[in-house]
Amino acid sequence: MKTILGIETSCDETTAAIAVKQDRQIKIIANVTASSAPMQAKYGGVIPEQAAREQLKAIIPVLTEVLHDAKLVINEIDAIAVAQGPGLIGSLLIGVETAKVLSLAWNKPLIPINHLLGHFYANWINEPEHPSPAPTFPIIGLLVSGGHSDIVLFKDHNQYEYLGGTRDDAAGECFDKSARLLGLTAVQGGPMVAKYALEGNSKAYTLPRPLSGSDDFDYSFAGLKTSILNTVESLSRKSTSSISKRDKLYTVHDPQVLRDLCASLQEAIVDTLIKKVIKAAQTKAIDQIMLAGGVAANARLREKLQEKFHGQILAPLPKYCTDNAAMIAAAGFFSQPLLNTLDLQANPNLSLSLRAS
Ligand code: KG4
Ligand code: ZN
């Protein structure tokens, strides 16, 4: 197979991409995303039915645009890869049912992709402007996104051992909920926290590194979220000029306090993440770690992991960390097509582990 069309609609975005494999390198020749982010910001988060309605409107224009951008005709596409789950059921259905129809109408093989595994395949994408080595096996993978914080040992393509993951909130959720609490943004809080953290003092506030000493590869971020809430509350009681509260929402008036809170939070999340993933690599005697998922775009995470781990760190370009169809198309090159297209069902509960996440 040489050319794969990828489709990804697991949350609020509608995205399609075309990947081409040349000399064992995967290149993305077109990548189109329609997002309902402005609508979410207005309503304070993703409303599943509304997201699916927007995706229904967007899917055909997005597909038309991606084919146009790639300057390809349908005959030149060898297969269709689609994110089967996990995600919001209404959203997944848009991508999965569209992919099934296209597979039948165009007579192309259909490849179902677990969205979580798909995130890791962003590491196989090679951009001529940012050449990077493709991962080799065995390798430790850390998936850090809005809904997942998982550590996996990959022995080969589609052959992995789940080592551990979050017992409650994901790292991305901790960034998002804290950003909301600090009055920064209702959605996608990670980039905002990272931006303010740039000029903040990460030692200004003492926050916990949950489960850091536990004898496993698990995470827990719910307590950290509560700690930042307690810190903000106590600050607002002490100094109403720097933080005020109205209707359970905080506004941080003092920009340096905001920067310091963001830097302290980011450092606590980063420290917690890297401690366990390095422990996993050392325990399994593996000298490569690959990052994946939206939080993998975080510059401090990449920098500190590089500093503390004496092996190789691989991470996708930031644009391929957050949800995108390029990673789904890339994963398609290493997965099996279905024998019968009509067998495919969207599965909102797919995971990497047998344990519910
Ligand atoms: O992988 P993703 O796009 O969606 C899921 O599958 O969940 O990840 C979204 C998450 C959000 O929590 C967002 O705040 C976080 O990734 N994120 C970041 C950064 N960019 C996105 N977190 C920290 N630093 C960033 N630069
Ligand atoms: Zn994702």
Side-chain angles (χ1 to χ4, degrees):
M1 243 176 274
K2 200 173 147 270
T3 306
I4 295 186
L5 165 66
I7 300 175
E8 149 66 49
T9 60
S10 61
C11 188
D12 56 305
E13 273 153 348
T14 312
T15 149
I18 294 177
V20 174
K21 197 169 176 203
Q22 269 169 353
D23 309 325
R24 299 175 64 202
Q25 300 227 325
I26 297 173
K27 267 193 351 198
I28 303 302
I29 58 166
N31 187 16
V32 176
T33 298
S35 165
S36 54
M39 198 178 277
Q40 293 161 35
K42 192 168 148 202
Y43 294 109
V46 178
I47 301 174
E49 288 76 12
Q50 198 177 43
R53 269 201 300 276
E54 292 305 307
Q55 287 168 309
L56 189 56
K57 285 188 236 162
I59 188 79
I60 300 299
V62 164
L63 284 165
T64 310
E65 195 176 329
V66 86
L67 285 168
H68 176 267
D69 286 1
K71 300 185 180 63
L72 286 183
V73 293
I74 288 155
N75 273 348
E76 291 170 290
I77 290 175
D78 299 317
I80 300 166
V82 64
Q84 181 186 8
L88 302 170
I89 183 63
S91 297
L92 286 168
L93 280 170
I94 310 289
V96 166
E97 296 305 314
T98 304
K100 279 159 81 172
V101 168
L102 293 181
S103 156
L104 291 171
W106 295 348
N107 195 23
K108 309 280 178 199
L110 182 61
I111 311 169
I113 304 292
N114 177 330
H115 171 93
L116 306 175
L117 281 181
H119 268 297
F120 287 111
Y121 279 92
N123 283 292
W124 270 263
I125 297 173
N126 205 303
E127 299 264 290
E129 318 85 75
H130 303 277
S132 61
T136 53
F137 299 106
I139 187 167
I140 295 285
L142 172 66
L143 173 64
V144 270
S145 68
H148 294 265
S149 308
D150 293 316
I151 302 180
V152 180
L153 164 57
F154 284 92
K155 297 170 181 169
D156 205 337
H157 294 293
N158 297 306
Q159 241 189 65
Y160 62 86
E161 184 187 337
Y162 178 83
L163 299 179
T166 187
R167 296 185 186 173
D168 40 54
D169 296 348
E173 191 175 343
C174 187
F175 270 116
D176 294 346
K177 298 263 167 70
S178 304
R180 198 175 169 159
L181 176 84
L182 297 171
L184 288 177
T185 170
V187 287
Q188 294 284 324
M192 284 292 253
V193 171
K195 186 176 132 207
Y196 283 97
L198 279 177
E199 289 174 58
N201 171 7
S202 61
K203 295 195 172 72
Y205 300 100
T206 309
L207 296 171
R209 272 63 174 157
L211 288 187
S212 280
S214 69
D215 192 21
D216 51 34
F217 303 115
D218 284 348
Y219 293 121
S220 162
F221 289 101
L224 186 49
K225 216 172 58 189
T226 311
S227 296
I228 193 102
L229 172 66
N230 292 341
T231 308
V232 170
E233 262 184 351
S234 96
L235 277 172
S236 80
R237 276 196 302 271
K238 273 192 230 143
S239 154
T240 42
S241 61
S242 61
I243 297 187
S244 63
K245 183 183 180 184
R246 219 181 73 201
D247 298 334
K248 292 190 185 161
L249 291 175
Y250 293 87
T251 308
V252 184
H253 304 288
D254 182 331
Q256 197 51 45
V257 169
L258 182 59
R259 293 182 198 121
D260 290 349
L261 280 166
C262 287
S264 304
L265 170 70
Q266 176 177 261
E267 205 69 9
I269 297 176
V270 166
D271 283 347
T272 308
L273 287 173
I274 65 179
K275 178 105 196 249
K276 284 284 168 78
V277 76
I278 291 178
K279 181 178 149 187
Q282 286 168 344
T283 309
K284 301 286 176 184
I286 309 269
D287 63 358
Q288 281 188 95
I289 295 176
M290 67 171 157
L291 301 176
V295 180
N298 187 276
R300 183 67 184 140
L301 172 64
R302 292 169 180 231
E303 178 190 64
K304 201 159 186 185
L305 186 56
Q306 196 80 65
E307 206 178 286
K308 302 276 175 195
F309 181 61
H310 304 297
Q312 192 179 26
I313 309 290
L314 298 173
L317 284 176
K319 68 176 172 182
Y320 297 132
C321 286
T322 46
D323 288 349
N324 65 86
M327 67 190 196
I328 301 298
F333 289 107
F334 306 99
S335 308
Q336 288 304 314
L338 287 171
L339 291 176
N340 184 354
T341 291
L342 290 175
D343 284 346
L344 183 62
Q345 300 293 331
N347 182 351
N349 301 318
L350 272 186
S351 73
L352 289 176
S353 69
L354 294 174
R355 199 171 72 184
S357 52

